Amino acid sequence: MNQKTTDKQIMTGNEAIARGAYEAGLVFASAYPGTPSTEILENLAKYKSELYCEWAPNEKVALEAAIGASIAGVRSLAAMKHVGVNVAADPLFTFAYTGVTGGCVLVSADDPGMHSSQNEQDNRNYATAARVLMLEPSDSSEAKEFTKLAFQLSEEFDTPVMLRVTTRVCHSKSLVELSGREEREPIAYERNIAKYVATPANGKKLRRNLVDRLKAMEEYSNRAEINKAEYNGSEVGVISAGVAYQYAKEVFGEDASYLKLGMTYPMPMELVKEFAGKVKTLYVIEEMDPYMENHLKAAGIACIGKELIPEYDELNPDIVRSAIFGTEREVFKSDAQAVVRPPTLCAGCPHRGFFYALKNKKNVMVTGDIGCYTLGSAPPLSTIDTCFCMGGSISAGHGAAVAFRQTGRDMKTVAVIGDSTFFHSGITSLMDVVYNKGNCVTVILDNRTTGMTGHQENPGTGQTLMGEPAVEADIPLLCKAIGIKDENIYLINPLDLRETHKALNQALAKDEPTVIIAAWPCAIKKFSEGDKARFDLSPKKCIIDQEKCVKCKACVRTGCPAILSGERILIQQESCTGCSVCKQACPFEAISFVDGSVGR
Amino acid sequence: MSNVKNILLVGVGGQGTILASKVLSEGLMEAGFDVKMSEIHGMSQRGGNVSTQVRFGDKVFSPIIGKGEADLIVAFEKMEALRWIEYLKPEGRMVINDAEIPSAPIQMGLAAYPEGIIEELSEKAVTYVFKATGLAETLGNPKSMNMVLLGALIKAINLPDIDWEEVIRRNVKPSFVDINLEAFRTGKAQVSGS
């Protein structure tokens, strides 16, 4: 496992951003995990002897902490996925007014094509809306260099800088040349109320200053080395940025001139005009929104963009080629069709037991949240009615419950949220339920980790990003403090169907706020000592007695990927964890533990 | 315009496609090629299909390819070979692990696993088909299936001048080095000539 140490390494964009921040002398970084941004902080943690990094409970907290560190005089960074910037937008817009002390970089990792996201918003629009300088690297080498430049520009122009990347930059590997770390003295702290206290009086001045700063930034953009023209004749010109530039190079090769933009806010409009004047046909090739195209068109520059290039989903060279030239490649077609392979809850996933129990409750609307448990919406469980954003399940459940009550309908709501998501922004929603006398049943699926993004620590796991022991947030106590009554808090094992049914039935019968805390560790996480002490995690396997099996498929309807339904119904021993949800679901007692042990 | 080669590794979450691509990319980089590799994480880890793309040559721009552009597809599962066939060049080749992993709709009995995949793909393209999972099991570690397929891949793209075994040594835990090297050699032996 030893990494060969050379000056040149093959790195993902995320590793390269972490390396760039390290080389730039970064002192403080904070983030909330979210695909495709997660590995930036995980990689920064490798340099923990020389810098500090942490998981924040949410993206707003992460950015605010980075702002504090910047004002305290060091270089700081906050990283998040595109939708995380929505959460962090509040501090971002005002931070753009105040500016920085130590350089501060916000990494926005967008997900064109929604590989692992609920939408594909184009966060370049945030740079325009908040008026923050924006850089867009197109591969890992640029990811590292642009990160370093971002810190420098942040200090030079007194502004937070947005480093905008996309999935194919974050998760693609390419060659990177490493340099050493720049050791920097912290900038001495001085109170500066006029700059950092955004009261209306100060804010008005800061807002006017921003106009001048923007002018200076645009002037820089026009001479920035990372905005460069490559001339190959005057017939065709291409303006592009980010990974779309790489696609354009594949498609046009040496048959077009390029204006490759590394800094896309403020746009280098003088440079753009000069380039446009030198080519006959001008294409703007960009993923998602017509961001650059709109800047060109607003300046009266004729160009071809979204009338040909798709405005949604991610691009690739083939899509760009057929969009521009109308060519279709010859491809293999097959008569047989591959069956879809959707992601599923894993074998032994504690969420399965809970959803299997919830599935049959009548007159219930289930509001869901962002995490592995969103897969509870997929067949055969199909037990989640809504999913919008982190933390939204409880507040949506409350609103719906009130709406049903106000209009005299016999419906209850169950809000389903994970532990990390509850800490992210579910707590404030639960306060809403209590404060406003709602009766939504809140279910916290506490799997002792941040599951979907690959098992990051969170305030409930007892460990930090840098591997140090931490205080565990006490969820039941927190609920009590908010005002949930003792008798309305149910602590259950979600793999125990009887216990889960009992808690759900009791909670649904009450006309006041209730919380069910369904605690069991994620089946595929590395169990902590705390997990082993608290839960019975001894390895078990289940097996079907073929003599007793009548093929009613009750076990198949749990949706467990270890169960195979064919002529016979079988449990694949290599993937079974012995969670026993199928055993409890079987009405004919045909399923037992392989070792003959008794119990649930 | 270029001498860039495109390799697609496709399979199911948990099959070890990422480690195989990592070894491949590192070896190619050390041999002096420009290399780009792209993988998809996230929800696909939960039993969904996974894909990794590796591109190498004198100068590589895009980290990903589109349909009809792969020189070689290595399918860690045979239905995944079928899913990605459109990405193969007309003269492209496929290495296919003759193994079935049913997806959720098949497990639930809602769809049937497609029949005749190997026959149909072999009729259309140059294929190297063998039971990589079975071979890895025989060697004593079913998880080394990814190294069996990597061996076949290396033979199929004909890049013998790179010290692949050294790259494998660096990328696996010391206690698993021997079994992985054995798996790698077994895979190489499955592809004759080139």
Side-chain angles (χ1 to χ4, degrees), chain A residues 423-437:
Chain A
F423 299 131
H424 178 283
S425 48
I427 298 170
T428 41
S429 301
L430 186 60
M431 271 188 217
D432 185 37
V433 181
V434 177
Y435 173 53
N436 290 307
K437 302 183 181 66

Side-chain angles (χ1 to χ4, degrees), chain B residues 70 90 161:
Chain B
D161 298 338

Side-chain angles (χ1 to χ4, degrees), chain A residues 173 250 333 335 341 561, chain B residues 37 55 80 107 120 124:
Chain A
K173 287 189 175 183
E250 290 284 342
K333 295 282 175 206
D335 302 328
R341 196 182 289 282
Chain B
M37 163 189 166
R55 310 192 68 219
E80 294 313 309
Q107 280 180 309
E120 191 182 340
K124 295 188 160 134

Side-chain angles (χ1 to χ4, degrees), chain A residues 1-4 8-10 39 115-116 139 167-168 171-175 243 246-247 249-250 253 315-318 321 329 331-344 346 372 375 379-380 451-452 524 556 561 563-565 572, chain B residues 1 12 22 25-26 29-30 35-43 46-49 55 61-69 77 79-80 82-83 85-86 88-90 101-108 111-112 114 120 124-125 170-173:
Chain A
M1 302 280 275
N2 334 317
Q3 192 72 45
K4 199 168 149 187
K8 215 175 186 187
Q9 282 191 14
I10 182 156
E39 303 83 5
H115 293 287
S116 193
D139 62 14
T167 302
R168 294 296 181 177
H171 288 171
S172 293
K173 287 189 175 183
S174 55
L175 303 186
V243 77
Q246 307 287 359
Y247 304 155
K249 286 289 279 189
E250 290 284 342
L315 301 178
N316 66 35
D318 190 45
R321 190 179 294 113
R329 261 180 198 267
V331 297
F332 283 104
K333 295 282 175 206
S334 55
D335 302 328
Q337 290 299 311
V339 179
V340 291
R341 196 182 289 282
T344 56
C346 304
C372 285
L375 296 172
M452 181 60 91
I524 59 167
V556 176
I563 300 176
L564 199 56
S565 174
Q572 301 178 84
Chain B
M1 94 188 194
V12 181
K22 185 165 186 276
S25 313
E26 277 184 28
M29 182 192 82
E30 282 165 28
V35 184
K36 283 192 178 172
M37 163 189 166
S38 191
E39 58 199 37
I40 284 301
H41 307 228
M43 297 193 76
R46 308 285 174 261
N49 48 292
R55 310 192 68 219
F61 292 105
S62 170
I64 57 168
I65 56 166
K67 289 176 181 173
E69 294 188 299
E77 196 274 351
M79 189 164 78
E80 294 313 309
L82 184 63
R83 191 183 315 283
I85 180 80
E86 287 193 340
L88 196 65
K89 272 184 187 167
I101 301 178
S103 65
I106 298 168
Q107 280 180 309
M108 285 181 254
E120 191 182 340
K124 295 188 160 134
R170 265 205 320 269
N171 277 285
V172 300
K173 282 187 188 158

